[in-house]
């Protein structure tokens, strides 16, 4: 039986974060990955002359006090990333073009131009203030959510008046912020807010609390970056660090069972059994429940979300010849009519950076990734050709494509996501925010109150590259508190 100090299931960014931090401490770390490459929903792949992203296309979290920067600083790794001048453009249903400027004053002026001056400045100043609080405190409360006496002790030692003052925002929804500034009847603005929240919070204004919602709405007011060659080049340096520090990643093995045995864990795949002192699950909690044999882990089942509460995605990868220059590489298009089969009200478009020639085999070609939400993926059968056709027609209508310049189109639906990532029902984007689930009620990193832990986008703090990175940091912090590693 192969042995290690830590066995990690899955190689998404939450897993890799914990892996490199533990390897730095001198622990022997082994990752089991069911796919042929690392990264999970943060990665890239080549197909017929083009390099497409597997999932995530936006990169936030670099900069002082942010989780990804903290991780890279801890392990002494630098990422070559281009800072985007304009993080995103949004095309509204009425045809208006909205520039999501990073600088707050420029963004407020743009919001007032498009949606009117009533309440905009006050709304966005409060949202930005909340988001600054969230990021400032994200790395100072690594025992959150508290479950053990040690967590509470550490949390109390670092608690501040600012944290207590912002506690109210966990009980308020984004909808309540809109009402506070008389914006709840501004329907174009409410539609805009709802579609923007879907990008990072996976839900709408009535359900997303103000703490997470304000942070989600303001992610374009922080530096956004692009990595040449795709986000796989964010993953590769972490794998290199892991292997250089005695770690290992095993590909093409899927975990079928995890048992406790004599104080250790035995993790079984179709090819081998692995023994370890610690286990970290980097697969979604829905999948974790299916492989753990522990009653303590299964006692957490009430916290699992059903397919009806989750989203998968329909994604298009398009290789094309651009017929014009674009002001931004990221665009959200709000649709005048919902997409057939799935009912989505918007699509998200990401292009390769114009200075990045490494993602196409032919000079002058470009890559486009298009994604949209599919609710309740377990109970939905869709005609992918209809969805694909409607999206391409919309991209042509909006001036992103010329039909004769399209060189390659391939699509992914929930079944594709299940095959690629192994995620149950092919759901992506993590657990959506719900008003009834307060931040301290979210899943904790501890699975069995022993030496099994959970990371990724189904535990606190949730979605996105910053969120899953923070989940990996928190898991290691709690391992240190529990076992003084």
């Amino acid at each position: 039986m192969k042995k290690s100090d830590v066995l990690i299931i899955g190689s998404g960014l939450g897993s890799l974060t914990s892996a490199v931090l533990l390897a730095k401490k001198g622990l022997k770390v082994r990752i089991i990955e069911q796919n042929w490459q690392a990264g999970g929903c943060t990665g890239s792949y080549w197909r017929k002359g083009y390099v497409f992203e597997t999932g995530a296309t936006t990169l936030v979290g670099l900069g002082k006090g942010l989780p990804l920067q903290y991780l890279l600083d801890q392990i002494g790794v630098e990422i070559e990333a281009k800072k985007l001048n304009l993080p995103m453009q949004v095309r509204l249903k009425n045809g208006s073009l909205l520039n999501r400027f990073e600088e707050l004053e420029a963004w407020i002026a743009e919001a007032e131009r498009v949606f009117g001056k009533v309440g905009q400045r006050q709304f966005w100043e409060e949202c930005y203030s909340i988001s600054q609080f969230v990021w400032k405190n994200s790395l100072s409360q690594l025992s959150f959510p508290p479950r053990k006496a040690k967590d509470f002790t550490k949390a109390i030692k670092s608690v501040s008046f600012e944290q207590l003052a912002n506690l109210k925002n966990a009980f308020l929804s984004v909808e309540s912020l809109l009402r506070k500034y008389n914006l709840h009847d501004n329907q174009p603005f409410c539609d805009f807010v709802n579609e923007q929240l879907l990008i990072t919070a996976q839900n709408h204004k009535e359900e997303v609390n103000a703490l997470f919602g304000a942070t989600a709405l303001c992610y374009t007011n922080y530096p956004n970056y692009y990595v040449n060659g795709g986000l796989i080049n964010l993953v590769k340096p972490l794998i290199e660090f892991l292997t250089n520090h005695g770690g290992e990643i095993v590909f093409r093995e899927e975990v079928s069972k995890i048992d406790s045995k004599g104080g250790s864990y035995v993790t079984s795949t179709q090819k081998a059994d692995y023994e370890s002192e610690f286990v970290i699950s980097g697969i979604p909690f829905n999948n974790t429940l299916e492989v753990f044999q522990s009653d303590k882990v299964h006692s957490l089942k009430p916290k699992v979300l059903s397919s009806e509460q989750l989203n998968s995605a329909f994604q298009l990868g398009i290789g094309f010849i651009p017929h014009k220059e674009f002001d931004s590489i990221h665009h959200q298009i709000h649709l005048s009519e919902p997409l057939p089969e799935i009912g989505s009200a918007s699509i998200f478009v990401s292009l390769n950076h114009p200075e990045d020639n490494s993602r196409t085999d032919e000079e002058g070609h470009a890559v486009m990734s298009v994604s949209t939400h599919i609710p309740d993926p377990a109970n939905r059968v869709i005609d992918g050709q209809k969805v694909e056709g409607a999206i391409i027609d919309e991209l042509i209508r909006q001036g992103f494509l010329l039909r004769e310049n399209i060189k390659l189109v391939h699509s992914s639906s929930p079944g594709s996501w299940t095959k690629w990532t192994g995620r149950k029902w092919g759901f992506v984007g993590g657990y959506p925010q719900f008003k009834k689930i307060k931040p301290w009620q979210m899943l904790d990193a501890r699975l069995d109150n022993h030496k099994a832990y959970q990371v990724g986008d189904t535990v606190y703090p949730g979605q996105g590259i910053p969120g899953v990175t923070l989940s990996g940091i928190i898991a290691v912090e709690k391992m240190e508190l529990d076992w003084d590693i």
Side-chain angles (χ1 to χ4, degrees), residues 139-438:
L139 292 168
S140 67
Q141 288 287 359
L142 295 178
S143 60
F144 196 88
R147 293 291 184 268
K148 291 186 174 183
K150 289 181 179 180
D151 298 342
F152 285 99
T153 300
K154 184 159 187 175
I156 290 169
K157 285 181 178 178
S158 57
V159 75
S160 66
F161 175 77
E162 183 185 27
Q163 290 169 358
L164 295 174
N166 273 277
L167 185 62
K168 67 180 187 297
N169 290 313
F171 294 90
L172 300 174
S173 65
V174 173
E175 168 75 14
S176 67
L177 286 182
L178 291 167
R179 290 184 176 277
K180 180 179 180 179
Y181 298 114
N182 296 314
L183 288 164
H184 59 288
D185 287 330
N186 186 335
Q187 196 58 51
F189 184 63
C190 287
D191 290 343
F192 164 79
V193 166
N194 272 337
E195 296 309 309
Q196 289 278 286
L197 285 172
L198 274 178
I199 297 173
T200 51
Q202 302 292 314
N203 217 330
H204 289 143
K205 57 186 174 63
E206 299 83 5
E207 290 289 352
V208 181
N209 70 62
L211 273 179
F212 286 176
T215 307
L217 289 172
C218 289
Y219 91 84
T220 50
N221 296 115
Y222 292 83
N224 280 237
Y225 294 90
Y226 176 91
V227 178
N228 277 353
L231 286 174
I232 192 66
N233 290 324
L234 171 62
V235 170
K236 285 179 178 178
L238 302 181
I239 297 293
E240 183 178 357
F241 180 92
L242 176 65
T243 55
N244 287 343
H245 286 75
E248 177 190 14
I249 181 164
V250 179
F251 293 105
R252 305 298 286 176
E253 291 192 30
E254 185 172 359
V255 171
S256 58
K257 185 173 66 172
I258 302 170
D259 272 316
S260 297
K261 182 180 179 182
S264 298
Y265 295 92
V266 176
T267 301
S268 301
T269 73
Q270 77 275 25
K271 294 182 180 179
D273 292 331
Y274 299 89
E275 184 178 349
S276 60
E277 181 181 358
F278 296 92
V279 166
I280 298 176
S281 176
I283 58 179
F285 184 59
N286 300 63
N287 297 76
T288 299
L289 280 174
E290 294 183 346
V291 297
F292 259 94
Q293 308 301 303
S294 165
D295 290 339
K296 288 184 178 179
V297 174
H298 283 267
S299 71
L300 298 172
K301 193 171 183 179
K303 290 184 175 287
V304 77
L305 296 189
S306 65
S307 173
E308 290 84 354
Q309 298 168 292
L310 300 171
N311 296 297
S312 184
F314 188 90
Q315 188 175 52
L316 280 183
I318 302 174
F320 70 107
I321 300 174
H323 65 286
K324 67 175 187 179
E325 294 183 356
F326 296 92
D327 294 326
S328 176
I329 65 169
H330 298 303
H331 305 260
Q332 190 181 46
I333 300 174
H334 297 190
L335 306 171
S336 56
E337 297 290 336
L339 284 175
E341 302 287 308
I342 55 179
S344 299
S346 66
I347 58 177
F348 193 79
V349 179
S350 292
L351 305 160
N352 66 286
H353 196 284
E355 296 175 5
D356 181 10
N357 299 316
S358 65
R359 291 181 58 187
T360 63
D361 287 359
E362 291 193 47
E363 187 177 348
H365 287 223
V367 176
M368 180 185 298
S369 295
V370 187
S371 61
T372 190
H373 287 78
I374 300 178
D376 189 11
N379 300 303
R380 189 178 293 269
V381 178
I382 65 172
D383 184 338
Q385 292 298 315
K386 284 185 178 179
V387 183
E388 181 180 303
I391 290 174
I392 289 177
D393 287 347
E394 182 67 20
L395 292 170
I396 292 171
R397 189 180 75 81
Q398 294 279 357
F400 283 82
L401 290 172
L402 296 178
R403 196 174 298 275
E404 60 270 24
N405 286 357
I406 300 173
K407 300 302 177 183
L408 174 68
V409 177
H410 76 95
S411 60
S412 305
S413 58
S416 309
W417 287 108
T418 302
K419 184 177 180 181
W420 179 263
T421 65
R423 297 172 68 101
K424 193 169 181 67
W425 308 311
F427 86 88
V428 295
Y431 274 10
Q433 295 294 319
F434 286 97
K435 188 178 179 182
K436 66 180 181 181
I437 304 174
K438 304 298 184 280

Side-chain angles (χ1 to χ4, degrees), residues 114-126:
V114 175
F115 298 114
K117 290 195 173 184
V118 174
Q120 289 293 328
R121 173 168 291 279
Q122 296 90 335
F123 177 82
W124 288 108
E125 284 181 343
E126 178 159 1

